Amino acid sequence: MKLICLYLTVLTLPAMAMAAPLEPVDPLDYRGGAWSPYLVGGLIGVLSWLTFLLSNKALGASSQYATAAGALGKAIAPRHTTSLKYFRDNPPKFGWGTMLIIGMLIGATAAAITGDEFAPGFLPEMWVDRFGEETFLLRGLTAFAGGIFMAFGARLAGGCTSGHGISGTMQLSVGSWIAATCFFIGGIATAFLLYRL
Amino acid sequence: MTDLTKPQDSKSSNLQFGLLFGIVFGFLLQKGGVGKFHVLIGQLLLEDWTVVKIMVSAVIVGMIGLYTLHSVGRVELHIKATKLGPNIIGGLLFGSGFALAAYCPGTNIAALGQGNWDAVVVAMGLIAGSYLFAEMSSVIGRTIDNWGDYGKLTLPEVTHLPARYLVPLLVVILTALLWAVEKLN
């Protein structure tokens, strides 16, 4: 219930911030990926073979944010944090998944620099065209709220766009296909509210 | 096969593999354009199909290799339990968060690597949301988590089609899907 209220509040924020009317935007007006999506997807498929073969692991990202939350929690409120069921079942520890995330940051930075796409800034281009220049607070709020919903949803569903959407679906897990479908249903509905109203 | 089942998380060779795989994964995500705000929102607005093209190609290639390797006993599968309640409710919540943030937990790292500092705020939200979930995990474990729990369930089990038939069939269906997406846009 609390979540639903929070959700509605967040969704109405852009509407409340609409001192000026929102501008229509077309995502295809901006520069897309540097490489063919089929090449990138195929290589991610091959990468999955290797993570299973050499590390006995599936690619996934979301649980590492829970690891960070647990580690932070243990530093601030150790007794309370270790008493929580999730952290008792999944003790936060540095491991393969943490290294994966560190590697991802290195790899993405290298890709951006080599492709001349490293462009530091807080507000994305299309966001500015839609919501305006002076919208740091609004972007901060949607980014933070988006993060909260994603983490909560991913922990509940058992994975994110990587863990369920790619790794789970390719293993033909029924739950992963259901979760991935729901990611898109929830995402499409919310995106249309934010960008097409 | 015996040593495969043992956790070897902190073994240094395994940590190095984690780093290496991460570098490749992050590099590919950025080159694919899925660290970009407008590409991700464009997919949710059904206008830019990059995300679906990448995911479906990864699934096609991945499942052929994984099921082939599995059939000769070279890899173990890591199937997560099918739980209708958590999968659906969590999935819908995740999706709405995805549209708000634009970056998902993995592509958020790609966005950060490109210099999109709003990804730092998304990461803070992801950490806060994870703690919030942990805070409620006892209650959830007694309620939602048990709604529609089918355990580890796979498509070959549900369809009664062995993987050696189902995988090729899915390759055809998913390739047709990609072809349709390409034609319609």
Side-chain angles (χ1 to χ4, degrees):
Chain A
M1 208 46 222
K2 256 187 264 170
L3 275 176
I4 295 169
C5 295
L6 181 63
Y7 180 50
L8 290 176
T9 316
V10 167
L11 275 191
T12 48
L13 273 174
M16 291 189 296
M18 261 195 324
L22 297 178
E23 295 295 326
V25 282
D26 181 357
L28 297 176
D29 287 346
Y30 310 85
R31 195 170 156 193
W35 288 7
S36 151
Y38 304 112
L39 173 67
V40 168
L43 289 175
I44 291 174
V46 174
L47 179 66
S48 295
W49 307 348
L50 297 176
T51 66
F52 273 83
L53 203 54
L54 301 174
S55 294
N56 193 22
K57 296 269 187 192
L59 288 171
S62 67
S63 59
Q64 290 310 310
Y65 296 93
T67 302
L72 269 173
K74 272 174 104 170
I76 298 164
R79 203 175 303 165
H80 179 68
T81 301
T82 43
S83 75
L84 297 173
K85 181 184 187 301
Y86 179 80
F87 292 126
R88 267 188 278 122
D89 297 344
N90 308 274
K93 61 173 200 287
F94 186 92
W96 187 88
T98 326
M99 294 301 280
L100 187 81
I101 297 287
I102 296 170
M104 284 171 74
L105 186 58
I106 298 171
T109 308
I113 291 171
T114 56
D116 207 12
E117 291 193 314
F118 185 78
F122 189 79
L123 296 179
E125 269 179 291
M126 195 179 90
W127 170 278
V128 171
D129 293 342
R130 172 73 171 163
F131 296 104
E133 295 277 359
E134 300 298 323
T135 50
F136 293 93
L137 181 64
L138 186 66
R139 176 57 187 148
L141 285 170
T142 51
F144 191 69
I148 291 180
F149 283 117
M150 279 196 291
F152 197 94
R155 289 285 60 75
L156 186 57
C160 65
T161 341
S162 314
H164 269 317
I166 295 181
S167 301
T169 51
M170 72 169 63
Q171 294 182 75
L172 309 183
S173 157
V174 174
S176 296
W177 281 90
I178 294 171
T181 308
C182 291
F183 294 165
F184 280 100
I185 295 173
I188 290 165
T190 310
F192 271 84
L193 285 174
L194 287 168
Y195 293 90
R196 285 294 175 262
L197 278 187
Chain B
M1 284 300 286
T2 44
D3 62 328
L4 269 184
T5 53
K6 288 195 186 115
Q8 26 182 259
D9 219 40
S10 49
K11 240 178 71 178
S12 81
S13 66
N14 209 29
L15 290 181
Q16 285 164 18
F17 273 129
L19 185 70
L20 178 69
F21 294 145
I23 291 173
V24 176
F25 192 35
F27 192 88
L28 290 173
L29 290 177
Q30 201 286 330
K31 287 294 185 196
V34 287
K36 295 180 179 180
F37 183 94
H38 53 271
V39 170
L40 296 158
I41 294 296
Q43 178 63 71
L44 295 178
L45 294 174
L46 307 177
E47 284 168 33
D48 182 325
W49 287 83
T50 307
V51 176
V52 165
K53 288 176 192 172
I54 290 179
M55 288 177 75
V56 173
S57 335
V59 170
I60 292 174
V61 173
M63 94 185 147
I64 295 173
L66 288 187
Y67 271 90
T68 307
L69 289 166
H70 183 64
S71 70
V72 295
R74 292 298 303 275
V75 300
E76 289 173 8
L77 296 182
H78 297 270
I79 311 278
K80 291 171 177 174
T82 293
K83 297 178 176 184
L84 294 184
N87 288 154
I88 293 171
I89 300 169
L92 293 173
L93 266 176
F94 180 92
S96 30
F98 184 13
L100 285 168
Y103 317 125
C104 60
T107 54
N108 192 51
I109 307 291
L112 193 56
Q114 288 167 185
N116 296 111
W117 306 139
D118 50 342
V120 176
V121 183
V122 174
M124 285 160 53
L126 284 163
I127 292 172
S130 302
Y131 202 88
L132 181 68
F133 178 83
E135 199 67 58
M136 296 171 68
S137 54
S138 290
V139 183
I140 290 168
R142 274 180 267 122
T143 52
I144 309 180
D145 207 35
N146 307 306
W147 298 351
D149 188 348
Y150 288 85
K152 293 182 181 184
L153 193 65
T154 62
L155 290 177
E157 286 160 7
V158 181
T159 57
H160 299 292
L161 266 178
R164 65 179 181 278
Y165 300 121
L166 187 59
V167 169
L169 181 66
L170 280 172
V171 169
V172 173
I173 293 172
L174 293 176
T175 308
L177 176 77
L178 287 179
W179 181 82
V181 163
E182 200 63 63
K183 276 282 154 196
L184 293 172
N185 288 278

